[in-house]
Amino acid sequence: MDVIEINKKQIEKKKEIQVVEDVIVPDVKPDIVSIIDTNSVSYAYKVEKIDGKIKIDGNLDCYIVYVSSDGDTRGIQSTFNFSDTIESSEIKESMILKYKIDVTKVETKILNERKLNVINNLNISYELYEKQKLEISNEFENIECLQVQSKDVNLNSVVGINVGKAQVKEDLKVDNMDNIAEILKVDIVVKNKETKISYNKILAKAEAEISVMYLTEDNRISKFQSDFPIMSFIDLENVKEDNTCDIDYQIRNVFLKPNSSEEHSISCQIDFELICEAYETRQMKIVSDLYSLKSDIEFSTKEVEADLSLKNNENIVDITEKIEVQEIKRVLDIDVNGKVLKNVISTENSNLEGEIELKIYYELTSKMGLNVKTVTVPFITKTPLIQDPIDVNIIKKEFDSEENNVIVNLSLNIFSRVSQKQSINIVENVNVKDIVNADDYSVVLYFVKPGDTLWNIAKKFRVTVDSLVKVNDIENPDMIHIGDKLYVVK
């Protein structure tokens, strides 16, 4: 009897919520004429999971960029709270929760020159897993003349799950000795993830790429970007070097403000929670059916969904695009968001259709200040076979401008984490009895019926598959046809 532990998905739910808030322009800032851009950073600072309920409390750090009554570019930073709850009798406190919060759309409306209305559309996905022990019987040595139908499979057995914490706390020193007046835009990306296992511990390492666009006190717009290490030791009993680790980095808190105590810098603190799952791949023989030539066997089967393998499929796609932008002086930044819209699967390849949204932040030759242009670029590419769901990650972003054009060079990592789940039948509760009514024959002529296999024909007449193959001179045991004539010799 072999025992493995599996994570069985019990609940999957997606919700779209709106966070709507009014923002008052501070007295120290000028009136609003028009909105240039709004961007938001979302994170959950508290996650509560009890029997029957999950509640997520989070923040949205919004950065609103506008044209003021003075004709200048100005910014407002505001934090909104949000909360979401799902309730179900199936939810248990002991379950493993995976969640993701995405800001899908931000809209800012001017109510008057001193008041704004900001609408954030959020997509929150919930997945709940329950750890289950799976007992697999694959040895039945005491049964005489046993015939077994089985196959060898690689199963992922859960070694353990634990949570770690990490923090980036730095004074971000900006270039050119700028005196920072306002933060206009923030991006936080976790990249270059890696793990190392030793002595019942997992060392999780990554980098936080922090990008900040800011306004200086003399009304210039500039940008700072740098990478900072993220590191955490996570205790996990019985974890081994050859195990597979899956680590999810979740932002728990963000604090970014111009440093009041040190010029030319930004105070930064970002807290991360690291949810770590470790798996062991074990090769096992799964018995799905059996019978005996000399006994009656009664048994039941249990159907379970198990991970046969855990694999990362990654394909790199390079895209170069030229975008017309009139009177461009310089490009400050480009936000890139990619998604696959259609995946047409052939025998060995995936034909992917998708789109890239480019948000170009730039300055004009005719005046100072920030401008934004958004364009959507379709792409079509063929990759080795890849399964849904698919993520598009930007691993290289280079841009330049010439005359009235912006040239963008991108490398996309089209990524799919494939957990090959399959329903398998496991034999259990085997009971052996003496044959009550033994068949009395020597040769039977049998005609193959729809749904027949050599295995179930052999089981029906209590003979071996090998004997059917030899007597009937069958070249391929997997290829029999309806109406074929078979001799069954006992």
Side-chain angles (χ1 to χ4, degrees):
M1 179 77 70
D2 288 320
V3 178
I4 66 170
E5 289 192 324
I6 62 173
N7 273 341
K8 184 177 180 181
K9 186 188 290 185
Q10 301 286 23
I11 298 174
E12 183 175 10
K13 187 176 181 65
K14 291 185 178 180
K15 291 185 70 176
E16 291 186 0
I17 67 171
Q18 273 194 345
V19 182
V20 182
E21 296 280 351
D22 288 342
V23 176
I24 305 298
V25 179
D27 292 339
V28 295
K29 295 182 184 291
D31 290 349
I32 297 170
V33 173
S34 63
I35 301 297
I36 298 172
D37 182 55
T38 304
N39 63 92
S40 300
V41 177
S42 65
Y43 53 94
Y45 62 82
K46 183 181 179 182
V47 179
E48 181 184 17
K49 174 166 53 72
I50 60 175
D51 289 348
K53 186 173 77 171
I54 295 171
K55 184 181 180 184
I56 289 180
D57 294 312
N59 283 340
L60 281 164
D61 291 345
C62 288
Y63 300 88
I64 304 163
V65 187
Y66 69 96
V67 176
S68 73
S69 55
D70 300 331
D72 297 328
T73 296
R74 297 302 300 265
I76 300 172
Q77 181 179 346
S78 186
T79 297
F80 308 147
N81 303 117
F82 69 89
S83 182
D84 188 60
T85 302
I86 61 171
E87 296 183 1
S88 170
S89 59
E90 297 179 15
I91 297 173
K92 299 178 184 177
E93 188 174 353
S94 59
M95 287 181 174
I96 302 152
L97 170 64
K98 296 181 181 179
Y99 69 91
K100 187 178 180 183
I101 304 170
D102 292 314
V103 180
T104 57
K105 184 180 178 182
V106 185
E107 184 179 3
T108 303
K109 299 177 181 178
I110 300 174
L111 302 180
N112 58 53
E113 65 275 7
R114 305 300 297 174
K115 189 176 182 180
L116 301 170
N117 179 254
V118 183
I119 304 171
N120 284 273
N121 291 330
L122 304 184
N123 189 311
I124 305 178
S125 59
Y126 298 86
E127 291 182 356
L128 279 162
Y129 296 80
E130 187 170 30
K131 189 187 291 187
Q132 294 183 351
K133 284 189 177 181
L134 189 61
E135 296 181 344
I136 299 175
S137 299
N138 51 29
E139 297 295 338
F140 308 94
E141 298 175 354
N142 298 328
I143 303 176
E144 190 177 2
C145 298
L146 182 67
Q147 305 298 301
V148 172
Q149 187 178 53
S150 65
K151 62 179 179 180
D152 291 328
V153 298
N154 291 324
L155 294 178
N156 285 322
S157 179
V158 179
V159 176
I161 299 169
N162 206 355
V163 174
K165 297 185 183 300
Q167 186 183 81
V168 172
K169 190 174 183 179
E170 299 282 346
D171 285 333
L172 311 182
K173 298 187 182 299
V174 301
D175 298 331
N176 305 320
M177 302 297 286
D178 287 337
N179 290 321
I180 301 166
E182 296 166 354
I183 294 176
L184 304 179
K185 178 174 174 288
V186 171
D187 293 302
I188 303 168
V189 178
V190 178
K191 63 181 187 179
N192 299 331
K193 303 174 187 177
E194 58 179 287
T195 58
K196 185 176 181 181
I197 303 171
S198 64
Y199 304 111
N200 293 326
K201 286 184 181 293
I202 297 170
L203 172 61
K205 295 170 63 179
E207 290 180 334
E209 180 186 273
I210 303 172
S211 304
V212 180
M213 188 181 296
Y214 58 90
L215 181 71
T216 65
E217 290 183 354
D218 56 351
N219 285 329
R220 289 180 298 105
I221 297 171
S222 192
K223 182 190 172 187
F224 165 90
Q225 178 176 309
S226 191
D227 298 338
F228 297 93
I230 307 170
M231 188 174 71
S232 178
F233 284 99
I234 303 169
D235 293 323
L236 205 58
E237 190 175 355
N238 298 322
V239 69
K240 299 175 183 177
E241 289 186 9
D242 59 350
N243 292 162
T244 301
C245 289
D246 183 12
I247 298 183
D248 184 24
Y249 289 76
Q250 293 283 354
I251 296 175
R252 279 287 187 258
N253 178 57
V254 177
F255 176 84
L256 282 165
K257 278 193 175 180
N259 199 330
S260 58
S261 60
E262 184 177 350
E263 292 184 330
H264 323 304
S265 70
I266 296 170
S267 294
C268 170
Q269 180 176 321
I270 305 172
D271 298 325
F272 294 91
E273 182 177 80
L274 286 64
I275 304 169
C276 174
E277 300 177 68
Y279 301 87
E280 176 187 17
T281 301
R282 295 172 60 183
Q283 187 178 61
M284 308 192 73
K285 183 171 76 171
I286 304 296
V287 176
S288 57
D289 198 5
L290 51 82
Y291 66 95
S292 169
L293 305 181
K294 294 188 176 182
S295 305
D296 275 332
I297 299 178
E298 294 179 353
F299 62 90
S300 60
T301 59
K302 178 172 63 177
E303 185 179 71
V304 298
E305 187 179 73
D307 286 335
L308 300 190
S309 65
L310 198 63
K311 181 182 178 184
N312 291 343
N313 285 336
E314 298 182 79
N315 298 279
I316 307 301
V317 176
D318 295 321
I319 295 176
T320 298
E321 192 70 24
K322 181 183 285 189
I323 300 151
E324 183 179 356
V325 182
Q326 295 294 326
E327 293 187 47
I328 189 167
K329 179 181 179 182
R330 63 171 177 143
V331 182
L332 294 161
D333 195 12
I334 297 181
D335 279 354
V336 184
N337 289 299
K339 59 183 176 181
V340 172
L341 303 174
K342 191 175 182 181
N343 178 15
V344 180
I345 297 175
S346 60
T347 306
E348 297 181 352
N349 296 304
S350 284
N351 298 291
L352 303 178
E353 297 179 20
E355 63 182 22
I356 303 294
E357 184 185 83
L358 302 174
K359 193 184 244 188
I360 305 168
Y361 295 83
Y362 64 99
E363 286 186 311
L364 295 173
T365 54
S366 57
K367 63 177 182 178
M368 293 179 63
L370 183 66
N371 295 272
V372 179
K373 180 174 182 176
T374 302
V375 295
T376 300
V377 178
F379 70 87
I380 299 174
T381 187
K382 179 184 287 187
T383 72
L385 191 61
I386 189 169
Q387 299 287 343
D388 297 334
I390 300 171
D391 290 327
V392 179
N393 298 317
I394 313 303
I395 58 174
K396 186 185 82 171
K397 178 180 69 175
E398 297 176 348
F399 52 85
D400 200 357
S401 60
E402 58 178 31
E403 297 181 350
N404 290 325
N405 293 300
V406 176
I407 297 92
V408 185
N409 293 307
L410 302 173
S411 287
L412 314 180
N413 181 4
I414 298 181
F415 173 90
S416 176
R417 186 169 180 79
V418 180
S419 177
Q420 294 182 356
K421 295 185 181 296
Q422 180 175 318
S423 294
I424 56 177
N425 290 317
I426 297 175
V427 169
E428 59 181 7
N429 302 321
V430 177
N431 185 24
V432 181
K433 297 181 178 180
D434 293 334
I435 297 177
V436 177
N437 296 314
D439 296 323
D440 185 17
Y441 64 87
S442 56
V443 179
V444 172
L445 180 60
Y446 182 80
F447 292 91
V448 176
K449 298 179 178 60
D452 275 344
T453 64
L454 280 188
W455 170 265
N456 60 34
I457 295 170
K459 183 178 180 180
K460 176 183 177 69
F461 292 102
R462 295 183 190 278
V463 298
T464 66
V465 172
D466 285 345
S467 70
L468 290 177
V469 170
K470 290 178 182 177
V471 168
N472 295 280
D473 196 24
I474 297 173
E475 293 184 2
N476 185 352
D478 295 325
M479 292 288 291
I480 59 173
H481 303 90
I482 297 171
D484 283 355
K485 183 169 59 176
L486 299 179
Y487 292 98
V488 182
V489 179
K490 188 171 182 179

